[in-house]
Amino acid sequence: MERRPGVPRLLREINDRAALELLLATGPMTRGQIGELTGLSKVTASQTLSRLEERGLVEVVGTQAGGRGPNAALYSVIASSAYVAGLEVGPELISSAVADIHGHTIAEVTVDPHGHEDPVSAVHEAIVKACRSAKVSLGKLRGVVIGTPGVVDPRSGDVRFSFDLPGWHEGIHEALAGDLRREVTIENDVNLAAIAERADGAATGIDDFVLLWSSRGLGLAVMLGGKLHRGRSGSAGEIGYLPVPGVPLPEDIRTSPGRLPSLAGGLQSLVSAEAVSELAQGYGFAAGGAGECVQVAVAAGAEGEPLLDEVANRLALGVAAVCVILDPGLVVLAGEVGQAGGAALASRVEEAVARISPVRPQVVTTTVTDANPVLRGAVLAALDQAREELLAP
């Protein structure tokens, strides 16, 4: 009989991974529960948990009363077995959070990027400051994900261009990894908001949906089959450039070194925060920002309906164009304008899309309760990386 010495080791690795995945997904469990849900025998489950304990990955956190026998030990993944950092980088602030392997945020800080000569030093300060606040050494981070506005090239990992972050250019990704001495992921901020939405919000458990982000800028995240669709160059979702009726076409958008494309024209000129604020003034709602204007209009009842109708009709142009191609079934409105409009705006967008498109998606407002969904998405993305590393043989 042919000997296959690698098989027992492979089986142990498979069993260890199955038990660890289960504990990370469900929380504390007994040996019997782990065995029942993974299909492992009691003996094999015990051996698996012993190995994970020896690796410093799981520990007994309590007991659970059973039937006639003694209480059963409850096992859990050790929270300090790995930490992650998530960041949101903007022109005025850098927000940074450190979380444990369970995803619990243990420190969150902000840093002013002004005064830093380059993005690397600004990011370094934000991460170090968050680690100090969390009392976690930089070396314990198993995942670092940075959210930025603009297009991120999925091949190089660099920001190709961003209006808000002109200092982020080719080579920053490699420089960050070298500075922090670990792999770093840069991701589009709206894509990270969609990750948070699928984990904690209106798209929980949904594989196909789009998230339309309307704030200072306009962006779209596309989730297909439970995975982000970024496009070959990372430009999928740059819906601000979408040509729409009634406004000039975007012009002269070609880029050259040191030069950013124009955002004049296209859907951006209709539903950006600046455009919505200008529109609101015409309807007599001159509040602070665009979100406040929309919020006041919602609270005004019948008096605010004309403004909400107009904003919904404008948003529907972009939503309809996306849905006749992707047919996602669910559209989540997020960002300053989308969140402020709530159900009143979402229902109007759904009705407006149905009037101009054969595809009628469900349109809802984000339900992510975290104050910073981009930062939460960055933490969740970093957590996926850390868990995969822990689960590796």
Side-chain angles (χ1 to χ4, degrees):
M1 182 176 179
E2 183 184 357
R3 295 184 63 191
R4 300 179 63 189
V7 171
R9 179 180 178 181
L10 177 61
L11 288 176
R12 288 195 297 269
E13 291 173 355
I14 292 173
N15 293 340
D16 291 355
R17 183 183 181 102
L20 198 58
E21 281 184 327
L22 186 61
L23 287 170
L24 285 170
T26 62
M29 303 185 78
T30 66
R31 180 190 64 179
Q33 290 170 334
I34 293 171
E36 183 179 348
L37 292 174
T38 59
L40 301 177
S41 68
K42 290 183 179 180
V43 172
T44 303
S46 295
Q47 294 171 343
T48 296
L49 288 168
S50 294
R51 286 193 299 270
L52 293 176
E53 281 186 289
E54 289 173 4
R55 291 174 60 187
L57 297 180
V58 303
E59 63 182 351
V60 176
V61 294
T63 59
Q64 185 179 81
R68 297 178 181 177
N71 292 346
L74 279 170
Y75 291 86
S76 177
V77 177
I78 298 173
S80 60
S81 58
Y83 295 95
V84 300
L87 293 88
E88 182 190 20
V89 177
E92 302 300 327
L93 285 176
I94 296 179
S95 298
S96 178
V98 171
D100 63 27
I101 194 62
H102 293 294
H104 301 142
T105 298
I106 52 179
E108 185 174 330
V109 302
T110 57
V111 170
D112 185 348
H114 299 107
H116 290 274
E117 294 182 0
D118 61 87
V120 175
S121 62
V123 168
H124 184 97
E125 181 188 348
I127 293 180
V128 169
K129 188 176 179 181
C131 284
R132 285 175 180 167
S133 179
K135 297 181 180 178
V136 171
S137 68
L138 194 63
K140 283 198 170 184
L141 295 181
R142 295 288 189 100
V144 177
V145 174
I146 303 169
T148 69
V151 175
V152 179
D153 190 328
R155 295 163 295 185
S156 69
D158 273 314
V159 177
R160 286 183 53 223
F161 64 82
S162 172
F163 288 91
D164 290 328
L165 305 174
W168 287 66
H169 50 74
E170 186 177 351
I172 291 295
H173 177 249
E174 184 178 352
L176 284 167
D179 176 75
L180 297 171
R181 298 180 181 179
R182 70 197 63 258
E183 182 56 39
V184 174
T185 299
I186 305 174
E187 180 63 89
N188 173 265
D189 53 359
V190 181
N191 282 346
L192 292 177
I195 289 175
E197 199 70 51
R198 187 166 186 263
D200 304 325
T204 300
I206 296 177
D207 288 340
D208 299 329
F209 72 95
V210 297
L211 182 141
L212 180 60
W213 183 276
S214 178
S215 286
R216 179 175 179 271
L218 189 67
L220 183 86
V222 180
M223 191 77 72
L224 298 176
K227 296 182 179 180
L228 285 170
H229 177 72
R230 299 175 178 84
R232 181 177 177 275
S233 67
S235 298
E238 290 297 312
I239 197 173
Y241 295 101
L242 182 72
V244 291
V247 296
L249 294 176
E251 293 183 357
D252 195 22
I253 63 171
R254 292 172 296 177
T255 60
S256 58
R259 181 175 170 275
L260 297 176
S262 169
L263 260 184
L267 186 64
Q268 171 82 17
S269 63
L270 285 180
V271 288
S272 67
E274 183 180 353
V276 171
S277 293
E278 184 178 338
L279 177 67
Q281 290 179 11
Y283 282 93
F285 295 96
E292 293 177 69
C293 291
V294 172
Q295 208 166 25
V296 171
V298 171
E303 187 179 344
E305 289 183 358
L307 172 60
L308 294 177
D309 288 340
E310 180 60 28
V311 174
N313 288 336
R314 293 183 176 194
L315 287 171
L317 295 174
V319 173
V322 169
C323 288
V324 294
I325 297 172
L326 298 179
D327 191 14
L330 177 69
V331 176
V332 181
L333 301 182
E336 180 185 356
V337 174
Q339 193 162 17
L345 180 62
S347 62
R348 283 173 166 81
V349 172
E350 185 172 314
E351 292 169 4
V353 170
R355 290 196 296 269
I356 61 175
S357 164
V359 179
R360 179 166 184 166
Q362 180 187 7
V363 181
V364 299
T365 308
T366 175
T367 58
V368 174
T369 56
D370 197 284
N372 192 330
V374 174
L375 186 61
R376 181 59 183 165
V379 168
L380 290 170
L383 200 59
D384 282 345
Q385 296 176 1
R387 289 181 172 183
E388 189 60 37
E389 187 176 325
L390 279 187
L391 293 168

